[in-house]
Amino acid sequence: MTTPDPERTSHPPLEAPDTFQVNLTVNGTARTVDVDPRTTLLTLLRERFDLTGTKAGCHQGTCGACTVHVDGRRALSCLILTVSADDAEIRTIEDLAEPDGTLHPMQRAFVEFDALQCGFCTPGQIMSAEACVREGNAESDDDVREYMSGNLCRCSAYPNIVRAVRSVAESR
Ligand code: FES
Ligand code: FES
């Protein structure tokens, strides 16, 4: 049996910090937060920043209700740990309308084409749709169905969602 080396055992064990500091930009505002490493971006946005437009549905990447933009790309905020979003630029549904309340064209289209019923999935649908159009992935109804297939609507408003997204794509 080996004798413990007193030099090595006299040091306290290394411990991981309880929180990590993260810098990120949310809807154009620079934020610095200390977070538990298990905190998802979804939880941060809703519970620390009070940005409750981003909805919490399945918490496991299957419904799309939590869709936001991270560095300009669609992302499921329930699957992103805040610590991995250090230095990222986050945009949520709260940033889409103009400061004077004028709706973003995609928001207007959802209203005009009656593309919602209960509205729970709508912020995620709109964030996804805005990116789809910007990326050129809304050139046909099939495109929209394909590229937005990660956004579920339990009210089944799909036909009108497709019409709304296509109307914005065609107006560009
Ligand atoms: S809450 Fe994120 S995909 Fe459902
Ligand atoms: S409008 Fe109700 S879940 Fe989509």
Side-chain angles (χ1 to χ4, degrees):
M1 193 167 124
T2 52
T3 312
D5 178 350
E7 280 296 310
R8 299 188 66 179
T9 54
S10 62
H11 298 294
L14 287 175
E15 283 181 19
D18 292 337
T19 61
F20 289 82
Q21 189 175 83
V22 176
N23 300 301
L24 63 182
T25 303
V26 180
N27 296 339
T29 302
R31 313 283 298 248
T32 298
V33 282
D34 290 316
V35 291
D36 181 298
R38 296 164 295 184
T39 306
T40 64
L41 182 59
L42 173 62
T43 299
L44 180 85
L45 293 171
R46 288 182 56 83
E47 297 182 13
R48 298 278 296 273
F49 296 164
D50 208 22
L51 293 169
T52 54
T54 303
K55 300 304 179 200
C58 64
H59 289 278
Q60 56 183 12
T62 56
C63 76
C66 65
T67 304
V68 297
H69 297 168
V70 177
D71 293 331
R73 299 173 65 104
R74 291 185 286 172
L76 299 173
S77 58
C78 72
L79 295 185
I80 296 175
L81 291 174
T82 300
V83 289
S84 70
D86 196 26
D87 291 330
E89 197 148 321
I90 315 295
R91 193 178 193 201
T92 71
I93 189 73
E94 285 86 352
D95 195 50
L96 242 53
E98 299 294 329
D100 67 0
T102 303
L103 294 180
H104 182 281
M106 191 62 75
Q107 292 173 306
R108 277 206 305 277
F110 267 63
V111 174
E112 186 183 335
F113 287 86
D114 200 18
L116 61 143
Q117 292 179 46
C118 77
F120 185 82
C121 72
T122 310
Q125 300 277 5
I126 289 176
M127 295 306 284
S128 200
E130 195 281 333
C132 256
V133 171
R134 186 160 36 82
E135 292 161 2
N137 291 324
E139 299 306 304
S140 67
D141 289 10
D142 281 348
D143 264 4
V144 176
R145 290 190 198 101
E146 170 71 21
Y147 285 95
M148 290 196 48
S149 59
N151 289 85
L152 305 185
C153 174
R154 62 188 168 189
C155 301
S156 213
Y158 297 114
N160 289 358
I161 291 172
V162 173
R163 286 185 195 108
V165 179
R166 289 286 298 131
S167 79
V168 176
E170 283 170 353
S171 71
R172 294 201 172 176

